[in-house]
Amino acid sequence: MRILSVNLATLRPVGYTNSPTGVTGIDKRPADGPVAVAAPGPPGTGGSGLAGDAIGDLRFHGGDDQAVYAYAREDLDAWEDELGRELPNGAFGENLTTLGVDVSGARVGERWRVGPRVLLEVSCPRIPCRTFAGWLEETGVPPAERGAGWIKRFTRAAVPGTYLRVVEPGEIRAGDPVEIVHRPDHEVSSAFLFRALTTERNLLPRVLAAGDALTARDREEALKYTAGRSS
């Protein structure tokens, strides 16, 4: 299990983002050397956990719970087959493109040692948004799968990758090994949580098994749904 590439973005203006500034950092490209990684701060003010990476809309992206976004090369390859086009590392806006890691199957609260120093913790799945749909349209998604169609297709697949928190900072680079050093004893993977938040909301009570490793937002959503069912 290893990191194939560490991907960074600079902001660029686009017509398909909801960001008030009209810019996005979804276009991420592999970095040439080591990249410093640290907890960026609370949602709304903290940006990316990777030095040199840019986020266009801090209202919905970045912060400690979304410090790093990872997606598996194997899943990009599967999407290449479906879409009939090349998807280079970073094409889904991921910071880390991995090899040999079951990223969407990683459990909330699971911890990864990346390289000699960095420790990351699985926090929540990526929920597709308008910017993601617009970016994939720009980079060659077939017309039938553009816009809301792409969001629905990505949601149906339920292979969302995962966001990670930075527990211990350091530097990471392409080629660094990934070791799972802690795997919680519950069923709540990133993909499971994604399904609970989107297409299978009846799963939300079971999400609470992830405990304090859930983001405050996801825990509140699960508690609200559970309370509504019992009232």
Side-chain angles (χ1 to χ4, degrees), residues 27 41 44 64 71 74 83 91 101 109 125 129 139 141 148 158 174 177 193 211:
D27 181 8
D64 289 338
Y71 207 79
E74 294 89 342
L83 298 175
V101 182
C129 64
T139 53
V141 166
L193 179 55

Side-chain angles (χ1 to χ4, degrees), residues 44-64:
T45 57
S48 174
L50 279 71
D53 187 38
I55 291 178
D57 194 344
L58 295 178
R59 298 174 304 168
F60 305 117
H61 303 288
D64 289 338

Side-chain angles (χ1 to χ4, degrees), residues 126-143:
R126 183 243 202 94
I127 304 297
C129 64
R130 176 182 171 184
T131 300
F132 183 37
W135 166 240
L136 265 292
E137 175 181 339
E138 180 177 300
T139 53
V141 166

Side-chain angles (χ1 to χ4, degrees), residues 38-182:
T45 57
S48 174
L50 279 71
D53 187 38
I55 291 178
D57 194 344
L58 295 178
R59 298 174 304 168
F60 305 117
H61 303 288
D64 289 338
D65 289 331
Q66 297 183 11
V68 181
Y69 177 51
Y71 207 79
R73 182 63 249 180
E74 294 89 342
D75 295 327
L76 285 174
D77 290 343
W79 281 114
E80 281 190 342
D81 291 340
E82 288 204 32
L83 298 175
R85 60 173 299 271
E86 182 181 0
L87 293 171
N89 294 347
F92 274 20
E94 77 273 12
N95 297 115
L96 304 180
T97 309
T98 66
L99 186 68
V101 182
D102 184 6
V103 176
S104 293
R107 297 176 187 174
V108 174
E110 182 173 305
R111 291 189 169 188
W112 302 353
R113 177 69 67 185
V114 181
R117 291 187 56 193
V118 173
L119 185 65
L120 304 176
E121 181 179 273
V122 174
S123 57
C124 59
R126 183 243 202 94
I127 304 297
C129 64
R130 176 182 171 184
T131 300
F132 183 37
W135 166 240
L136 265 292
E137 175 181 339
E138 180 177 300
T139 53
V141 166
E145 300 300 336
R146 293 177 179 175
W150 169 250
I151 291 175
K152 289 178 181 178
R153 185 169 184 171
F154 185 84
T155 300
R156 284 197 307 268
V159 185
T162 194
Y163 283 108
L164 302 121
R165 305 178 179 102
V166 180
V167 180
E168 296 177 7
E171 287 187 341
I172 56 177
R173 67 186 73 203
D176 273 348
V178 177
E179 178 187 4
I180 299 172
V181 296
H182 171 67

